[in-house]
Amino acid sequence: MTREEDIKKAVEVLRKGGVILYPTDTVWGIGCDATNAEAVKRVYDIKQRDDSKALICLVDSDARMQRYFRNVPDVAWQLIDSLKEGSAKPTTLILDGAINLAPNLIAEDGSLGIRITQEPFSKELCYRFQKALVSTSANISGEPAAQNYCDIDPRIIEQVDYVCWSRRQEHNPHTPSSIIRLRGNGEVEIIRR
């Protein structure tokens, strides 16, 4: 299967409210349409995760990210620009004022974690889907994140609607993203390096 066919199939499943397993710019992820509350609930159920613990989203561009927040602070744009320039570790930003997403995806305080992916497969997947994509590590809550496809618990594979073929053969070390919390008042908090 070509990468293009793989992405096309994944997008078809996502548009029908399905849940997928896919390679990201960090570890393997469980994904769904970030605007579909039923699909988001399924992801929480698959992970056996309390829905009070937020999930993050992936998007392919600055413009798409901007659709999901009332206001993106200047410091966020500066950080995003600096990340694009170097070979920095993928970084998830937690921003206030999330909008246009499934209510069960947005934290109680109105914030959301989001990352603009630069990795070719996940970037193309997000671009073709044309919406934010839930991206949470492909593991049962409390267990180690699946760095590669071979690390994914079979219980997760059985519960999703589609498993992407791309990058299944990899055996490379991958780590979760850095996480930085940016508040509207300009306060910056590093949650995970």
Side-chain angles (χ1 to χ4, degrees), residues 109-184:
D109 66 0
S111 67
L112 175 83
I114 198 161
R115 187 167 71 249
I116 300 171
T117 181
Q118 301 301 328
E119 184 273 328
F121 182 86
S122 54
K123 188 173 185 81
E124 181 75 9
L125 178 62
C126 290
Y127 174 75
R128 296 282 173 209
F129 185 51
Q130 296 284 301
K131 290 185 195 176
L133 188 61
V134 166
S135 182
T136 183
S137 56
N139 61 311
I140 304 292
S141 192
E143 294 183 2
Q147 294 185 34
N148 296 286
Y149 174 75
C150 61
D151 302 322
I152 301 172
D153 188 311
R155 293 175 293 175
I156 290 177
I157 295 169
E158 291 165 9
Q159 294 182 72
V160 300
D161 302 302
Y162 183 70
V163 180
C164 291
W165 288 93
S166 298
R167 295 180 45 204
R168 278 197 196 182
Q169 304 306 318
E170 278 185 4
H171 292 283
N172 299 325
H174 296 280
T175 56
S177 69
S178 297
I179 301 176
I180 299 175
R181 174 79 160 94
L182 302 176
R183 299 194 188 275

Side-chain angles (χ1 to χ4, degrees), residues 24-118:
T24 74
D25 53 343
T26 59
V27 296
W28 268 74
I30 303 172
C32 72
D33 178 348
T35 66
N36 183 324
E38 282 184 37
V40 170
K41 182 183 180 320
R42 276 192 62 209
V43 171
Y44 277 113
D45 292 345
I46 290 167
K47 280 186 71 78
Q48 300 172 25
R49 184 174 182 160
D50 183 348
D51 66 6
S52 67
K53 293 185 177 181
L55 302 174
I56 68 159
C57 292
L58 276 190
V59 291
D60 63 314
S61 67
D62 301 3
R64 188 131 17 242
M65 184 179 98
Q66 206 159 4
R67 291 182 191 175
Y68 299 111
F69 296 93
R70 283 188 186 84
N71 178 39
V72 178
D74 289 341
V75 68
W77 295 122
Q78 292 165 8
L79 193 54
I80 289 165
D81 287 344
S82 70
L83 292 169
K84 285 180 189 171
E85 289 169 12
S87 58
K89 180 178 181 179
T91 301
T92 299
L93 301 179
I94 300 175
L95 304 173
D96 293 326
I99 55 173
N100 303 323
L101 293 160
N104 55 343
L105 188 58
I106 299 171
E108 285 182 21
D109 66 0
S111 67
L112 175 83
I114 198 161
R115 187 167 71 249
I116 300 171
T117 181
Q118 301 301 328

